[in-house]
Amino acid sequence: MDGLSMSVQYVKGVGPKRAVKLRKMGINTVEDLIYFFPRGYEDRRKFNNISNAVNGEKMSFRVSISGRPNVLRPRRNLSILKIPVKDNTGMAYLTWFNQDYLADNFRIGEKLTINGKVKRIANEIQIQNPTYEKEGSSNKKVGRIVPIYSLTDKLTNNEMTLIVNNALKSYISNVKEIFPKSIIDKFNLISVKEAILNIHFPQSREKFLKSRQRLVFEELLTLQLGLFIIKNKTKSNNKGISFERVDELKEFIYKLPFTLTNAQKRVLKEIERDMESYEQMNRLVQGDVGSGKTVIAVLAMFKAWKSGYQSTMMAPTEILATQHFETIKSMLKDYDIRCELLVGSLSQSKKNEILADLKNGNIDILVGTHAIIQDNVKFNRLGLAITDEQHRFGVSQRAVLSQKGLNPDVLVMTATPIPRTLALILYGDLDISIIDELPPGRKIIETYSIGIGMEKRLIEFIKKQIKEGRQAYIVSPLIEESDTLNVKACEELYERFKGEVFKDFEVGLLHGKMKAEEKEEIINEFKDGKVDILVSTTVIEVGVNVPNASIMVIYNAERFGLAQLHQLRGRVGRGEYQSYCILINEGKSKISQERMRIMQKTNDGFKISEKDLELRGPGEFFGTKQHGLPDLKIANLFTDINILKIAQKEAAEILNSDPYLEDAKYKLLKEKIKDMFKGKTDDIIFN
Ligand code: ADP
Ligand code: MG
């Protein structure tokens, strides 16, 4: 063991209790702790005079204790400790609430440095809940730039600062330089040790910037190398398939129950052109929820079938795959096209039958989940591979799917708008089509944010809508990352609704831990209108299409990301009825208010994701998980585009001369890449 991989529990000041809290934040090892970077900083270097104290601001002062502590008890549960202090310019009170025991910590005349929020009340200056340090103490919380960590679960910033400080003292010497000297010199990087020390405890702004630059570059270069390696592994040098022109497509379109929007027509043309050319198609279709991507996919599969090829469509959940399967089958029912569904929950005999028929070419279209990319799935003549809601898949899964054929055309569909930088990384080689128009007649979904206090009125409203023939989704709160707790919350809500509130209606339950058949059954009942209210976890987030549903209620909406709220909202407003999205917001912070406001103001997915980025603080990153990318600890793909470009160029150059990083000087870098992609790409990297 090199120290860094040791349990965080053994860092001085941690111990078993704090270790549990840290683990909840994903910090298991010493290394995790060292790489848990602050989300911001507070500059406490500047000391002020008491006479210049500004009401409402956090400020630092050098003071001495000038009198005896005094404890006030204005209410039964409230005590206020006041300790008088002074400097050369005036006097003030340090005040603490319900912490009388601190009184014994100070003696008159003692010198302190303090930092706290200034409150001016009448003639009095108070410094509330100050952080303080006695003269000569070594733990510097005042008088320097202090880190602010994103913390949960009752771990205070002071505790965290102390712990990180201890970890750095004992273990920083174990951090290894992963870059060869050539890279360090070329980009004039500061050493990794110095960078890490300064990212936690910056000596100066300049040092901080250099440190951040170094760490961002390291992260992005690692990421980019990994992605390029995956790409190179799966890149084909061969020509693709040239599909025939299919005039029957016109007839097919004519027979649809609706007319294609202009945007759909344009995108279809782009796809047809790609499919007919000899180049392999690599196209991303991006369109907001409800813009009608599925029919485009069906048209492309129809075209492939006409040319005698098989196609496949992969969706992220069984629910969605099943639904696509039904839609596709019904759209193609007038043709002699065999369409099958492959999902994990099928019986082994049904699976075997499908696998055999797929291999001998008796199946034309295979819809399914990840089950499709298993090794034992062999196509006869795969010509077109489609992934729906691509953002849910890992980068390598797309690659694996297309390897199921000999350079099949690839179509990727997503509702998540992708910022330019991310598109560059993820789909460097992909053409993009955008469906920027919703089918006509869609009513804007009316969105409201309410407090839980209005639940009664909401329930009346839901009842009224159901009596008018509509249906409702109710999404239960998201509880941290725990599936079990999420399911529990969902079940509780369901019990309450079924047993009391909505006992005169049909209430259904849907969550990820249910068996596939159960899920399918409940979804079908909801589709058929047998269930009025579907209480669900976020498993309904993608793709589910029930046009009669007009209400989406989301409990604890403040716990969801904006993009996710938008996806959920997209489950309603899919038919002719005026639809409503009700966000129950229990978040008190300004940011959660602002997020609710955005959801109420706009229905435009692209604007929403832009706002989402804006609202997240620096250092935080927007949903790499959503795109199947590894988590980034420091780089921000939105704002670090310049460093990204440099890293991309360097990565390309490195791989040009050494495609698999076999040179010994890349040994540590290579390990870092493997580490970053661990669990993401399974065996694609370096195998
Ligand atoms: P998404 O882009 O979110 O995957 P879908 O393909 O599920 O959207 O389409 C949403 C709904 O809109 C479906 O019920 C579909 O039949 C319908 N639809 C698609 N295109 C049109 C159109 N041009 N006119 C009217 N309705 C359409
Ligand atoms: Mg869809």
Side-chain angles (χ1 to χ4, degrees), residues 473-506:
Y473 294 99
I474 299 182
V475 176
S476 56
L478 202 62
I479 298 174
E480 287 179 15
E481 298 277 284
S482 157
D483 280 347
T484 319
L485 288 178
N486 287 331
V487 167
K488 193 161 162 272
C490 187
E491 282 170 343
E492 278 170 14
L493 207 59
Y494 168 73
E495 292 301 334
R496 180 159 75 91
F497 286 157
K498 191 183 165 65
E500 305 164 31
V501 187
F502 294 113
K503 62 177 184 311
D504 299 333
F505 301 92
E506 283 305 317

Side-chain angles (χ1 to χ4, degrees), residues 293-294 324 388-389:
K293 296 183 289 291
T294 317
H324 277 326
D388 188 27
E389 304 296 350

Side-chain angles (χ1 to χ4, degrees), residues 337-533:
I337 300 178
R338 178 153 169 224
C339 186
E340 288 289 351
L341 176 70
L342 182 67
V343 291
S345 64
L346 291 186
S347 71
Q348 196 55 48
S349 60
K350 180 72 187 168
K351 257 184 218 162
N352 291 341
E353 182 198 321
I354 290 180
L355 293 182
D357 282 348
L358 194 66
K359 202 168 166 188
N360 63 31
N362 285 338
I363 292 174
D364 304 300
I365 293 178
L366 184 69
V367 182
T369 53
H370 298 80
I372 294 182
I373 51 174
Q374 303 303 311
D375 279 343
N376 57 355
V377 179
K378 301 256 184 334
F379 288 81
N380 187 281
R381 235 163 97 82
L382 180 63
L384 174 66
I386 305 177
T387 46
D388 188 27
E389 304 296 350
Q390 150 76 18
H391 61 284
R392 291 301 198 86
F393 290 107
V395 268
S396 63
Q397 286 165 328
R398 169 166 67 108
V400 175
L401 183 62
S402 69
Q403 283 178 323
K404 295 275 177 192
L406 246 183
N407 306 322
D409 277 3
V410 172
L411 199 57
V412 166
M413 304 201 293
T414 181
T416 309
I418 296 162
R420 207 168 62 84
T421 27
L422 196 52
L424 211 69
I425 290 200
L426 286 176
Y427 312 115
D429 56 345
L430 225 66
D431 299 307
I432 299 184
S433 291
I434 301 180
I435 308 185
D436 50 3
E437 182 185 359
L438 292 181
R442 289 277 164 78
K443 298 211 172 68
I444 298 260
I445 303 163
E446 286 182 25
T447 303
Y448 301 95
S449 156
I450 64 172
I452 191 72
M454 281 171 73
E455 195 188 32
K456 271 218 173 77
R457 280 179 61 187
L458 169 63
I459 285 166
E460 289 313 310
F461 177 68
I462 296 174
K463 286 181 178 168
K464 189 164 151 269
Q465 284 275 313
I466 295 176
K467 283 181 184 151
E468 285 172 19
R470 302 289 79 74
Q471 290 163 283
Y473 294 99
I474 299 182
V475 176
S476 56
L478 202 62
I479 298 174
E480 287 179 15
E481 298 277 284
S482 157
D483 280 347
T484 319
L485 288 178
N486 287 331
V487 167
K488 193 161 162 272
C490 187
E491 282 170 343
E492 278 170 14
L493 207 59
Y494 168 73
E495 292 301 334
R496 180 159 75 91
F497 286 157
K498 191 183 165 65
E500 305 164 31
V501 187
F502 294 113
K503 62 177 184 311
D504 299 333
F505 301 92
E506 283 305 317
V507 184
L509 170 71
L510 178 70
H511 60 66
K513 291 248 160 108
M514 284 162 61
K515 286 210 192 84
E517 308 95 75
E518 292 173 327
K519 282 192 233 169
E520 200 181 323
E521 196 182 323
I522 190 75
I523 291 261
N524 282 335
E525 285 179 358
F526 192 61
K527 261 193 194 157
D528 298 342
K530 287 183 199 141
V531 164
D532 303 308
I533 299 171

